[in-house]
Amino acid sequence: MAAHWLSDILKQVRPAFTQILVVSAFVNLLAIAAPVFVLQVYDRVVIHAGISTLYGLVIGVLVAIVFDFVLRQFRARLLQRAALEIDIGVNRRVLDKLMSVPLRVLESRPVAQWDILFRDANAVRDTLSGPTAVAIADLPFAVIFLGVIYAIAAPVAWVVLVLIPVFVLIAWLGARSQTARTRAERDATLARDGLVGDLIAGRTTIKSLGLDGAFADRWETAHAAAVERGLDRGRTGDNFVNTGLAVSVIATVAITGVGALAILNQELTIGALIATNMLAARIIMPFHQLVGTWRMAALCRQAIGRLDELFALPSERADSSVVFDRPAGKLVFDGVTFRYAPENDPVIDEIRLTLEARGLYAIMGTNGSGKTTLLKLAMGLYAPDDGRVLVDDADIAQFSRRDLTRWIGYVPQEIRLFSGTIRDNIAAAMPDAPDEDVIRAAKLAGVHEFVAALADGYGADVGDGGAALPGGIRQKIGIARALLRQPPVLLMDEPSSNLDRDSEAALAETLRTLSGDHTIVMATHSLRLLSACHSILVLERGKIRTGGPADKILTEMFPAAAAAAAARS
């Protein structure tokens, strides 16, 4: 049974497929014209010197050829339309599903595994609207050709009838052998493409550390494995295709040999024998096409299986049950526990914490203490295994991703800019945002002066992933992007990691000002930013080690720095 999602898409293109079947019926009926023409020429025109009959037959077959051409063109257009509808339907569903899959699930698999799903969508489209679909549409009309053969050349009809199961057997055996080999080739190709993705993403590290030789060796090994799997699959496919060709030749020889005996016994005419060979070729052709295109069918079947797995994954909430007013920004962690895998120790272990609305809060801790994870839980990017995260005493689990991104801004540690201009990146969540809102966010993030000084200003291209801009500027654009919607809650993960001292001081002042009507929570070790905070929380192995007013925590954690600051003041 076809997957539910595929059934829905096929229902949308059912009218086109119905038209394709009707047109295919007429195309196959017109295909009888040429064999009948040959039959009549040999049996009537040549024997009886019927020149006028020849003229009539030529005109008739030419008309049939013209109609055949027009119908085939029409069928091709129908297939293109069906392909477009299938492509849009499948790819849109894949994209929508990927956008709704929880971040925890997305992070559990390599990027290449998600990327290949779009190739799977293309495989479904090409199979359902390509040569395989045409061959399947032509298969039922083999019965008509077989009936015509029986009518004009009964003594050789049994030969064709025997050969049809042979082609079915070849196609079936080819399918069995190709399925496993196609899967092995796909896995090897996925491993190679994943390595290429790592190479491109880490190109700076590879060049700076001289890792090109090691990566070249790994790529050659992975590429050789992919090529070997492809050659193995290709050799097997060629074996069955060539076997099919050989059986096609055997069919012609068998029909001609048996037909010759029938002619000698005066049970068959030469014209009927030649017409039978032409009709037999029409019967064999779709079966032979199935042998040649079975790899596409195997790819399609495997692609549907992988897409089934994708659509079976959990999705984030699409809509909120009730529309809430803009929250004040109070954050509560009510016994929150989180593990990346059920068998692992908790990364966040029964955190109970209340952050009142409107304030500047910092989270400290060593690497692996759970700072970033806690921010992602607050953002709703991760769902806690136990406990709740609340905004203004409302569990964020009830809200859609759209609502959460309006209320909570997030600045990740690694800022990723997207292809386009600086304005495009700041206004990524609100493409139609007024210019004054974009400029306001840029000024708050401290990037406006830099952008304004560029020749193209906010229209400057950021390059691949922001490569055309310094790291500090990328950081500020990321902050501006989070500030554009003026969310009441702002979460920031190491916001000053790429900033110089002056920019860091300006950011501290900006955050202090914004905290008057925003709840700002940041993971940081910057003393300058920590000094601007109202309260500091220290994590250790997923638990709260200590917390309280910033002055008190800084004195405990950094006594020398606190003493120096006091002396300067």
Side-chain angles (χ1 to χ4, degrees), residues 483-495:
L483 291 171
L484 180 68
R485 289 177 168 176
Q486 303 185 56
V489 179
L490 182 61
L491 309 176
M492 311 179 80
D493 194 356
E494 299 290 353

Side-chain angles (χ1 to χ4, degrees), residues 356-561:
E356 297 295 339
R358 291 176 290 278
L360 183 54
Y361 304 94
I363 302 174
M364 292 177 57
T366 58
N367 291 338
S369 61
K371 303 185 301 298
T372 298
T373 303
L374 191 65
L375 291 180
K376 288 182 177 179
L377 286 164
M379 183 68 201
L381 295 174
Y382 292 160
D385 296 323
D386 295 298
R388 302 177 300 163
V389 178
L390 302 98
V391 174
D392 283 12
D393 299 320
D395 192 333
I396 66 171
Q398 66 184 295
F399 300 127
S400 68
R401 172 60 45 200
R402 185 183 301 275
D403 285 334
L404 288 176
T405 52
R406 284 192 296 110
W407 298 337
I408 305 175
Y410 181 60
V411 182
Q413 186 171 359
E414 296 294 333
I415 299 295
R416 173 71 185 183
L417 300 186
F418 306 106
S419 299
T421 65
I422 292 176
R423 189 195 191 285
D424 293 337
N425 276 273
I426 294 177
M430 299 175 59
D432 299 326
D435 290 343
E436 53 267 27
D437 288 353
V438 175
I439 293 174
R440 176 193 57 78
K443 286 182 176 178
L444 286 174
V447 74
H448 173 70
E449 291 184 2
F450 175 87
V451 176
L454 297 174
D456 294 325
Y458 284 86
D461 193 274
V462 301
D464 180 23
L469 300 173
I473 299 302
R474 292 198 298 270
Q475 192 86 16
K476 292 178 180 180
I477 291 175
I479 296 171
R481 184 163 59 193
L483 291 171
L484 180 68
R485 289 177 168 176
Q486 303 185 56
V489 179
L490 182 61
L491 309 176
M492 311 179 80
D493 194 356
E494 299 290 353
S496 64
S497 57
N498 289 307
L499 302 183
D500 56 33
R501 292 176 59 85
D502 291 341
S503 297
E504 189 178 51
L507 176 62
E509 184 62 31
T510 297
L511 295 180
R512 188 77 177 188
T513 301
L514 286 173
S515 67
D517 55 2
H518 292 72
T519 303
I520 303 175
V521 185
M522 58 179 170
T524 183
H525 290 95
S526 165
L527 285 175
R528 195 177 295 271
L529 294 183
L530 290 171
S531 299
C533 291
H534 301 119
S535 180
I536 296 175
L537 172 73
V538 181
L539 291 182
E540 185 174 303
R541 297 183 179 181
K543 291 181 177 289
I544 298 176
R545 174 183 163 188
T546 186
D551 292 342
K552 173 178 177 294
I553 300 301
L554 287 175
T555 300
E556 293 176 359
M557 301 292 294
F558 308 102

Side-chain angles (χ1 to χ4, degrees), residues 219-465:
W219 181 86
E220 287 179 3
T221 301
H223 184 62
V227 170
E228 180 59 33
R229 298 294 183 275
L231 289 174
D232 181 43
R233 189 266 313 156
R235 283 192 295 265
T236 304
D238 290 343
N239 290 339
F240 285 97
V241 170
N242 292 332
T243 301
L245 288 172
V247 174
S248 299
V249 175
I250 291 172
T252 301
V253 172
I255 291 170
T256 303
V258 173
L261 293 176
I263 291 172
L264 293 177
N265 293 330
Q266 297 184 351
E267 297 174 339
L268 194 67
T269 65
I270 294 177
L273 176 59
I274 297 174
T276 297
N277 267 312
M278 296 175 68
L279 290 167
R282 289 288 307 183
I283 294 174
I284 291 172
M285 182 171 63
F287 287 101
H288 183 62
Q289 286 176 336
L290 280 181
V291 175
T293 60
W294 205 267
R295 175 175 177 261
M296 182 65 72
L299 285 172
C300 179
R301 186 166 60 252
Q302 293 175 15
I304 291 174
R306 288 189 292 271
L307 292 175
D308 281 345
E309 293 176 3
L310 169 68
F311 294 125
L313 293 174
S315 296
E316 294 178 319
R317 183 182 291 273
D319 299 298
S320 299
S321 302
V322 177
V323 178
F324 279 63
D325 293 332
R326 174 188 171 92
K330 177 183 176 182
L331 279 177
V332 177
F333 296 85
D334 182 16
V336 173
T337 298
F338 177 82
R339 296 175 176 84
Y340 281 102
E343 65 275 10
N344 293 348
D345 292 332
V347 181
I348 298 296
D349 194 359
E350 294 189 33
I351 292 288
R352 296 186 182 276
L353 174 68
T354 298
L355 302 177
E356 297 295 339
R358 291 176 290 278
L360 183 54
Y361 304 94
I363 302 174
M364 292 177 57
T366 58
N367 291 338
S369 61
K371 303 185 301 298
T372 298
T373 303
L374 191 65
L375 291 180
K376 288 182 177 179
L377 286 164
M379 183 68 201
L381 295 174
Y382 292 160
D385 296 323
D386 295 298
R388 302 177 300 163
V389 178
L390 302 98
V391 174
D392 283 12
D393 299 320
D395 192 333
I396 66 171
Q398 66 184 295
F399 300 127
S400 68
R401 172 60 45 200
R402 185 183 301 275
D403 285 334
L404 288 176
T405 52
R406 284 192 296 110
W407 298 337
I408 305 175
Y410 181 60
V411 182
Q413 186 171 359
E414 296 294 333
I415 299 295
R416 173 71 185 183
L417 300 186
F418 306 106
S419 299
T421 65
I422 292 176
R423 189 195 191 285
D424 293 337
N425 276 273
I426 294 177
M430 299 175 59
D432 299 326
D435 290 343
E436 53 267 27
D437 288 353
V438 175
I439 293 174
R440 176 193 57 78
K443 286 182 176 178
L444 286 174
V447 74
H448 173 70
E449 291 184 2
F450 175 87
V451 176
L454 297 174
D456 294 325
Y458 284 86
D461 193 274
V462 301
D464 180 23

Side-chain angles (χ1 to χ4, degrees), residues 86-106:
I86 293 172
D87 182 83
I88 293 173
V90 179
N91 278 284
R92 179 178 294 162
R93 285 171 183 256
V94 171
L95 180 62
D96 290 345
K97 185 63 181 181
L98 284 177
M99 292 296 101
S100 69
V101 170
L103 179 64
R104 186 174 182 178
V105 177
L106 288 173

Side-chain angles (χ1 to χ4, degrees), residues 21 127-128 130-141 286 289-290 293-294 297:
L21 285 174
T127 303
L128 296 180
T132 304
V134 174
I136 293 174
D138 287 341
L139 277 177
F141 302 102
Q289 286 176 336
L290 280 181
T293 60
W294 205 267

Side-chain angles (χ1 to χ4, degrees), residues 95-214:
L95 180 62
D96 290 345
K97 185 63 181 181
L98 284 177
M99 292 296 101
S100 69
V101 170
L103 179 64
R104 186 174 182 178
V105 177
L106 288 173
E107 291 177 342
S108 67
R109 303 181 187 179
V111 174
Q113 285 195 13
W114 300 114
D115 178 65
I116 204 170
L117 292 172
F118 289 97
R119 290 188 234 170
D120 288 336
N122 293 338
V124 173
R125 175 202 63 200
D126 293 342
T127 303
L128 296 180
S129 59
T132 304
V134 174
I136 293 174
D138 287 341
L139 277 177
F141 302 102
V143 177
I144 297 176
F145 295 127
L146 190 60
V148 174
I149 289 175
Y150 184 80
I152 66 174
V156 298
W158 65 269
V159 178
V160 181
L161 196 61
V162 168
L163 288 170
I164 290 177
V166 175
F167 277 99
V168 173
L169 178 62
I170 294 172
W172 180 72
L173 291 175
R176 290 191 60 185
S177 65
Q178 287 286 72
T179 299
R181 288 173 172 81
T182 299
R183 184 180 293 109
E185 180 186 13
R186 180 251 183 194
D187 292 342
T189 302
L190 184 63
R192 181 197 61 191
D193 292 348
L195 184 60
V196 172
D198 290 342
L199 189 150
I200 295 172
R203 55 191 180 275
T204 302
T205 303
I206 290 172
K207 284 185 173 294
S208 61
L209 296 180
L211 303 179
D212 48 321

